[in-house]
Amino acid sequence: MMNPADFFNTEHVLENNRARLEPLQEKHYGLLLPIAMEKVLWQFTSNTILNEADFRKYFDVALAERQSGTAYPFAVYDKLNNCYGGCTRYGNIAFAHKRMEIGWTWYAPNLQGSGINKACKSLLLNFGFDELQLNRIELKTSQLNLKSQAAMLKIGAVKEGILRNHMITDNGTVRNTVYFSFIKEEWPAVKNRYEL
């Protein structure tokens, strides 16, 4: 298993035929800003992005979390359309327990349903299980976000349950959160079945 310090200090570029995940850097800010201004992206998230200042804060937090060793954010490059299309990250990283979460994921509206999400999840799951030797990878979403829940089930994640009154969003709404996971024992079959 990779040393945690090495993980955070290494520039991990993950790539397949459809997507390239690049470690999030300042150069991505201006490329992602126009996408982040699409208010529909933030409908079910705990963050409220209404303007450039909101996105600047969100972006800076993502960079700071990598520096502090709690998350590893990526910019998503869509190779099919030759453009940057969104963000995703590993978060809630607990190397001592060999687990982490994939989340904070958003894509340009025109890329949703295009296969980019499956391509990115494939990269993140393969790296997590095959390279980092994790036992568990989690995903979560709002109980109201039925589209996200369907996408998680479609790629083989197991729905584990609902955490009631789990978090308070930026706009003050109390959110119930649905948890999903992949575990190492099930990963080979899931990988083959869904071609991840």
Side-chain angles (χ1 to χ4, degrees), residues 97-136:
H97 300 287
K98 300 182 81 170
R99 74 167 187 262
M100 61 178 58
E101 179 181 340
I102 295 172
W104 300 265
T105 304
W106 44 272
Y107 304 106
N110 65 309
L111 295 180
Q112 294 177 17
S114 72
I116 191 71
N117 183 55
K118 183 177 178 181
C120 291
K121 292 295 190 292
S122 176
L123 289 168
L124 293 165
L125 289 163
N126 277 301
F127 188 77
F129 285 118
D130 299 340
E131 300 299 323
L132 300 177
Q133 300 293 302
L134 298 174
N135 289 333
R136 170 184 172 84

Short mmCIF file of all heavy atoms in Angstrom, two decimals, residues 97-136:
data_model
loop_
_atom_site.label_atom_id
_atom_site.label_comp_id
_atom_site.label_asym_id
_atom_site.label_seq_id
_atom_site.Cartn_x
_atom_site.Cartn_y
_atom_site.Cartn_z
N HIS A 97 -7.45 2.74 7.81
CA HIS A 97 -8.57 1.81 7.68
C HIS A 97 -8.76 1.33 6.24
O HIS A 97 -9.74 0.65 5.94
CB HIS A 97 -9.86 2.46 8.19
CG HIS A 97 -9.77 2.86 9.63
ND1 HIS A 97 -9.79 1.93 10.66
CD2 HIS A 97 -9.63 4.07 10.22
CE1 HIS A 97 -9.68 2.56 11.81
NE2 HIS A 97 -9.57 3.85 11.58
N LYS A 98 -7.83 1.74 5.37
CA LYS A 98 -7.85 1.33 3.96
C LYS A 98 -9.19 1.64 3.29
O LYS A 98 -9.78 0.80 2.62
CB LYS A 98 -7.49 -0.16 3.83
CG LYS A 98 -6.10 -0.48 4.38
CD LYS A 98 -5.73 -1.92 4.23
CE LYS A 98 -5.24 -2.18 2.83
NZ LYS A 98 -4.64 -3.53 2.69
N ARG A 99 -9.64 2.89 3.49
CA ARG A 99 -10.88 3.31 2.85
C ARG A 99 -10.81 4.78 2.46
O ARG A 99 -10.01 5.55 3.01
CB ARG A 99 -12.08 3.06 3.76
CG ARG A 99 -12.19 4.02 4.91
CD ARG A 99 -13.56 3.95 5.60
NE ARG A 99 -13.65 5.01 6.58
CZ ARG A 99 -13.42 4.87 7.89
NH1 ARG A 99 -13.11 3.68 8.37
NH2 ARG A 99 -13.51 5.90 8.69
N MET A 100 -11.63 5.13 1.49
CA MET A 100 -11.81 6.53 1.11
C MET A 100 -13.13 6.65 0.37
O MET A 100 -13.80 5.66 0.08
CB MET A 100 -10.64 7.05 0.27
CG MET A 100 -10.40 6.35 -1.04
SD MET A 100 -9.03 7.06 -2.03
CE MET A 100 -7.62 6.95 -0.95
N GLU A 101 -13.49 7.87 0.09
CA GLU A 101 -14.75 8.16 -0.60
C GLU A 101 -14.45 8.78 -1.96
O GLU A 101 -13.48 9.53 -2.11
CB GLU A 101 -15.58 9.13 0.25
CG GLU A 101 -16.89 9.54 -0.37
CD GLU A 101 -17.67 10.52 0.51
OE1 GLU A 101 -17.40 10.60 1.72
OE2 GLU A 101 -18.53 11.22 -0.04
N ILE A 102 -15.28 8.47 -2.95
CA ILE A 102 -15.28 9.19 -4.22
C ILE A 102 -16.47 10.12 -4.18
O ILE A 102 -17.60 9.68 -3.92
CB ILE A 102 -15.40 8.22 -5.41
CG1 ILE A 102 -14.18 7.32 -5.51
CG2 ILE A 102 -15.59 9.01 -6.71
CD1 ILE A 102 -14.31 6.21 -6.54
N GLY A 103 -16.24 11.38 -4.43
CA GLY A 103 -17.37 12.31 -4.39
C GLY A 103 -16.99 13.70 -4.85
O GLY A 103 -15.98 13.89 -5.52
N TRP A 104 -17.81 14.67 -4.44
CA TRP A 104 -17.65 16.07 -4.84
C TRP A 104 -17.55 16.13 -6.38
O TRP A 104 -16.75 16.86 -6.94
CB TRP A 104 -16.41 16.68 -4.17
CG TRP A 104 -16.49 16.66 -2.69
CD1 TRP A 104 -16.94 17.66 -1.87
CD2 TRP A 104 -16.14 15.58 -1.82
NE1 TRP A 104 -16.88 17.26 -0.56
CE2 TRP A 104 -16.39 15.98 -0.50
CE3 TRP A 104 -15.63 14.29 -2.03
CZ2 TRP A 104 -16.17 15.17 0.61
CZ3 TRP A 104 -15.41 13.47 -0.93
CH2 TRP A 104 -15.68 13.92 0.36
N THR A 105 -18.38 15.31 -7.01
CA THR A 105 -18.32 15.12 -8.46
C THR A 105 -19.38 15.93 -9.16
O THR A 105 -20.55 15.89 -8.78
CB THR A 105 -18.52 13.61 -8.80
OG1 THR A 105 -17.53 12.84 -8.11
CG2 THR A 105 -18.40 13.37 -10.29
N TRP A 106 -18.96 16.67 -10.17
CA TRP A 106 -19.91 17.41 -11.01
C TRP A 106 -19.36 17.54 -12.42
O TRP A 106 -18.15 17.61 -12.63
CB TRP A 106 -20.22 18.79 -10.41
CG TRP A 106 -19.05 19.56 -9.90
CD1 TRP A 106 -18.50 19.50 -8.65
CD2 TRP A 106 -18.27 20.54 -10.62
NE1 TRP A 106 -17.44 20.37 -8.55
CE2 TRP A 106 -17.27 21.03 -9.74
CE3 TRP A 106 -18.34 21.06 -11.91
CZ2 TRP A 106 -16.35 21.99 -10.13
CZ3 TRP A 106 -17.42 22.02 -12.30
CH2 TRP A 106 -16.44 22.48 -11.40
N TYR A 107 -20.30 17.46 -13.36
CA TYR A 107 -19.96 17.53 -14.78
C TYR A 107 -20.83 18.57 -15.46
O TYR A 107 -21.97 18.82 -15.05
CB TYR A 107 -20.21 16.18 -15.47
CG TYR A 107 -19.51 15.01 -14.85
CD1 TYR A 107 -20.21 14.07 -14.09
CD2 TYR A 107 -18.14 14.83 -15.01
CE1 TYR A 107 -19.57 12.98 -13.52
CE2 TYR A 107 -17.49 13.75 -14.43
CZ TYR A 107 -18.20 12.84 -13.69
OH TYR A 107 -17.56 11.78 -13.12
N ALA A 108 -20.29 19.14 -16.53
CA ALA A 108 -21.08 20.06 -17.35
C ALA A 108 -22.40 19.39 -17.73
O ALA A 108 -22.41 18.18 -18.04
CB ALA A 108 -20.31 20.45 -18.61
N PRO A 109 -23.51 20.12 -17.71
CA PRO A 109 -24.80 19.50 -18.02
C PRO A 109 -24.82 18.74 -19.34
O PRO A 109 -25.44 17.67 -19.43
CB PRO A 109 -25.75 20.70 -18.04
CG PRO A 109 -25.14 21.67 -17.09
CD PRO A 109 -23.66 21.52 -17.28
N ASN A 110 -24.12 19.24 -20.36
CA ASN A 110 -24.14 18.56 -21.66
C ASN A 110 -23.36 17.24 -21.65
O ASN A 110 -23.48 16.45 -22.58
CB ASN A 110 -23.61 19.48 -22.76
CG ASN A 110 -22.14 19.82 -22.58
OD1 ASN A 110 -21.71 20.24 -21.50
ND2 ASN A 110 -21.35 19.64 -23.62
N LEU A 111 -22.58 16.99 -20.60
CA LEU A 111 -21.82 15.73 -20.50
C LEU A 111 -22.53 14.70 -19.63
O LEU A 111 -22.15 13.53 -19.65
CB LEU A 111 -20.43 15.99 -19.94
CG LEU A 111 -19.50 16.83 -20.80
CD1 LEU A 111 -18.15 17.00 -20.12
CD2 LEU A 111 -19.33 16.22 -22.19
N GLN A 112 -23.54 15.11 -18.92
CA GLN A 112 -24.24 14.17 -18.05
C GLN A 112 -24.98 13.15 -18.92
O GLN A 112 -25.63 13.50 -19.90
CB GLN A 112 -25.19 14.92 -17.12
CG GLN A 112 -24.44 15.79 -16.14
CD GLN A 112 -25.32 16.61 -15.24
OE1 GLN A 112 -26.51 16.33 -15.09
NE2 GLN A 112 -24.76 17.62 -14.61
N GLY A 113 -24.83 11.88 -18.57
CA GLY A 113 -25.44 10.81 -19.35
C GLY A 113 -24.64 10.42 -20.59
O GLY A 113 -25.09 9.61 -21.39
N SER A 114 -23.44 10.99 -20.73
CA SER A 114 -22.62 10.77 -21.94
C SER A 114 -21.62 9.62 -21.79
O SER A 114 -20.94 9.28 -22.74
CB SER A 114 -21.86 12.04 -22.30
OG SER A 114 -20.80 12.26 -21.37
N GLY A 115 -21.50 9.09 -20.59
CA GLY A 115 -20.51 8.05 -20.32
C GLY A 115 -19.28 8.55 -19.59
O GLY A 115 -18.43 7.75 -19.16
N ILE A 116 -19.16 9.86 -19.41
CA ILE A 116 -17.97 10.41 -18.75
C ILE A 116 -17.93 9.98 -17.28
O ILE A 116 -16.86 9.69 -16.73
CB ILE A 116 -17.89 11.95 -18.89
CG1 ILE A 116 -16.53 12.47 -18.45
CG2 ILE A 116 -19.01 12.65 -18.14
CD1 ILE A 116 -15.40 12.13 -19.37
N ASN A 117 -19.08 9.91 -16.62
CA ASN A 117 -19.10 9.51 -15.21
C ASN A 117 -18.59 8.08 -15.04
O ASN A 117 -17.76 7.81 -14.17
CB ASN A 117 -20.50 9.66 -14.63
CG ASN A 117 -20.53 9.32 -13.14
OD1 ASN A 117 -19.78 9.88 -12.35
ND2 ASN A 117 -21.37 8.37 -12.77
N LYS A 118 -19.05 7.17 -15.87
CA LYS A 118 -18.60 5.78 -15.78
C LYS A 118 -17.09 5.70 -16.02
O LYS A 118 -16.39 4.97 -15.32
CB LYS A 118 -19.34 4.92 -16.79
CG LYS A 118 -18.97 3.46 -16.71
CD LYS A 118 -19.78 2.61 -17.68
CE LYS A 118 -19.37 1.15 -17.61
NZ LYS A 118 -20.12 0.32 -18.56
N ALA A 119 -16.60 6.45 -17.00
CA ALA A 119 -15.17 6.44 -17.30
C ALA A 119 -14.35 6.94 -16.10
O ALA A 119 -13.31 6.36 -15.76
CB ALA A 119 -14.87 7.29 -18.53
N CYS A 120 -14.82 8.00 -15.47
CA CYS A 120 -14.10 8.55 -14.30
C CYS A 120 -14.17 7.61 -13.10
O CYS A 120 -13.17 7.38 -12.42
CB CYS A 120 -14.66 9.92 -13.94
SG CYS A 120 -14.30 11.20 -15.16
N LYS A 121 -15.36 7.07 -12.84
CA LYS A 121 -15.50 6.15 -11.71
C LYS A 121 -14.62 4.92 -11.93
O LYS A 121 -14.02 4.39 -10.99
CB LYS A 121 -16.96 5.73 -11.52
CG LYS A 121 -17.88 6.85 -11.05
CD LYS A 121 -17.54 7.34 -9.67
CE LYS A 121 -18.60 8.28 -9.11
NZ LYS A 121 -18.70 9.56 -9.81
N SER A 122 -14.52 4.45 -13.17
CA SER A 122 -13.66 3.31 -13.48
C SER A 122 -12.21 3.60 -13.10
O SER A 122 -11.54 2.78 -12.46
CB SER A 122 -13.78 2.96 -14.96
OG SER A 122 -12.89 1.93 -15.31
N LEU A 123 -11.73 4.78 -13.48
CA LEU A 123 -10.36 5.18 -13.15
C LEU A 123 -10.14 5.23 -11.64
O LEU A 123 -9.15 4.70 -11.11
CB LEU A 123 -10.04 6.53 -13.77
CG LEU A 123 -9.88 6.56 -15.28
CD1 LEU A 123 -9.87 7.99 -15.80
CD2 LEU A 123 -8.61 5.83 -15.71
N LEU A 124 -11.05 5.86 -10.94
CA LEU A 124 -10.90 6.05 -9.50
C LEU A 124 -11.02 4.73 -8.73
O LEU A 124 -10.27 4.48 -7.78
CB LEU A 124 -11.94 7.05 -8.99
CG LEU A 124 -11.75 8.48 -9.50
CD1 LEU A 124 -13.00 9.30 -9.27
CD2 LEU A 124 -10.54 9.14 -8.85
N LEU A 125 -11.95 3.89 -9.14
CA LEU A 125 -12.13 2.60 -8.48
C LEU A 125 -10.95 1.68 -8.75
O LEU A 125 -10.43 1.02 -7.83
CB LEU A 125 -13.44 1.96 -8.92
CG LEU A 125 -14.71 2.63 -8.40
CD1 LEU A 125 -15.92 2.19 -9.20
CD2 LEU A 125 -14.91 2.34 -6.91
N ASN A 126 -10.52 1.60 -9.99
CA ASN A 126 -9.38 0.75 -10.32
C ASN A 126 -8.13 1.18 -9.57
O ASN A 126 -7.41 0.34 -9.01
CB ASN A 126 -9.12 0.76 -11.83
CG ASN A 126 -9.99 -0.21 -12.59
OD1 ASN A 126 -9.96 -1.40 -12.33
ND2 ASN A 126 -10.79 0.30 -13.51
N PHE A 127 -7.86 2.47 -9.54
CA PHE A 127 -6.68 2.96 -8.83
C PHE A 127 -6.81 2.68 -7.33
O PHE A 127 -5.86 2.24 -6.68
CB PHE A 127 -6.49 4.46 -9.08
CG PHE A 127 -5.20 5.00 -8.54
CD1 PHE A 127 -4.00 4.78 -9.20
CD2 PHE A 127 -5.18 5.75 -7.37
CE1 PHE A 127 -2.80 5.27 -8.71
CE2 PHE A 127 -3.98 6.25 -6.87
CZ PHE A 127 -2.80 6.01 -7.54
N GLY A 128 -8.00 2.91 -6.79
CA GLY A 128 -8.21 2.69 -5.36
C GLY A 128 -8.01 1.24 -4.94
O GLY A 128 -7.33 0.97 -3.95
N PHE A 129 -8.58 0.33 -5.69
CA PHE A 129 -8.48 -1.08 -5.31
C PHE A 129 -7.18 -1.72 -5.77
O PHE A 129 -6.55 -2.47 -5.03
CB PHE A 129 -9.67 -1.87 -5.84
CG PHE A 129 -10.95 -1.62 -5.07
CD1 PHE A 129 -12.05 -1.07 -5.70
CD2 PHE A 129 -11.04 -1.94 -3.73
CE1 PHE A 129 -13.23 -0.84 -4.99
CE2 PHE A 129 -12.20 -1.71 -3.01
CZ PHE A 129 -13.30 -1.16 -3.64
N ASP A 130 -6.77 -1.45 -7.01
CA ASP A 130 -5.62 -2.15 -7.57
C ASP A 130 -4.28 -1.55 -7.15
O ASP A 130 -3.32 -2.28 -6.91
CB ASP A 130 -5.71 -2.19 -9.09
CG ASP A 130 -6.97 -2.92 -9.58
OD1 ASP A 130 -7.55 -3.69 -8.79
OD2 ASP A 130 -7.38 -2.70 -10.73
N GLU A 131 -4.20 -0.23 -7.07
CA GLU A 131 -2.94 0.43 -6.74
C GLU A 131 -2.83 0.75 -5.24
O GLU A 131 -1.80 0.52 -4.63
CB GLU A 131 -2.77 1.71 -7.55
CG GLU A 131 -2.75 1.49 -9.06
CD GLU A 131 -1.61 0.61 -9.51
OE1 GLU A 131 -0.51 0.72 -8.94
OE2 GLU A 131 -1.83 -0.21 -10.42
N LEU A 132 -3.89 1.30 -4.67
CA LEU A 132 -3.84 1.70 -3.26
C LEU A 132 -4.20 0.55 -2.32
O LEU A 132 -4.03 0.69 -1.11
CB LEU A 132 -4.78 2.89 -3.02
CG LEU A 132 -4.46 4.15 -3.82
CD1 LEU A 132 -5.50 5.23 -3.54
CD2 LEU A 132 -3.05 4.65 -3.50
N GLN A 133 -4.73 -0.54 -2.87
CA GLN A 133 -5.07 -1.73 -2.08
C GLN A 133 -6.09 -1.41 -0.98
O GLN A 133 -5.97 -1.88 0.16
CB GLN A 133 -3.81 -2.36 -1.48
CG GLN A 133 -2.80 -2.82 -2.53
CD GLN A 133 -3.32 -3.99 -3.36
OE1 GLN A 133 -3.66 -5.02 -2.82
NE2 GLN A 133 -3.40 -3.79 -4.67
N LEU A 134 -7.10 -0.63 -1.32
CA LEU A 134 -8.13 -0.27 -0.35
C LEU A 134 -9.05 -1.45 -0.09
O LEU A 134 -9.21 -2.35 -0.92
CB LEU A 134 -8.95 0.91 -0.86
CG LEU A 134 -8.17 2.21 -1.08
CD1 LEU A 134 -9.08 3.26 -1.71
CD2 LEU A 134 -7.58 2.73 0.23
N ASN A 135 -9.70 -1.43 1.08
CA ASN A 135 -10.73 -2.41 1.42
C ASN A 135 -12.12 -1.92 1.04
O ASN A 135 -13.02 -2.73 0.82
CB ASN A 135 -10.73 -2.70 2.93
CG ASN A 135 -9.54 -3.50 3.36
OD1 ASN A 135 -8.97 -4.27 2.58
ND2 ASN A 135 -9.14 -3.33 4.61
N ARG A 136 -12.28 -0.59 0.99
CA ARG A 136 -13.62 -0.03 0.83
C ARG A 136 -13.53 1.34 0.15
O ARG A 136 -12.65 2.15 0.47
CB ARG A 136 -14.25 0.12 2.22
CG ARG A 136 -15.55 0.91 2.28
CD ARG A 136 -16.01 1.06 3.73
NE ARG A 136 -17.15 1.96 3.83
CZ ARG A 136 -18.42 1.60 3.65
NH1 ARG A 136 -18.71 0.34 3.38
NH2 ARG A 136 -19.39 2.49 3.74
#
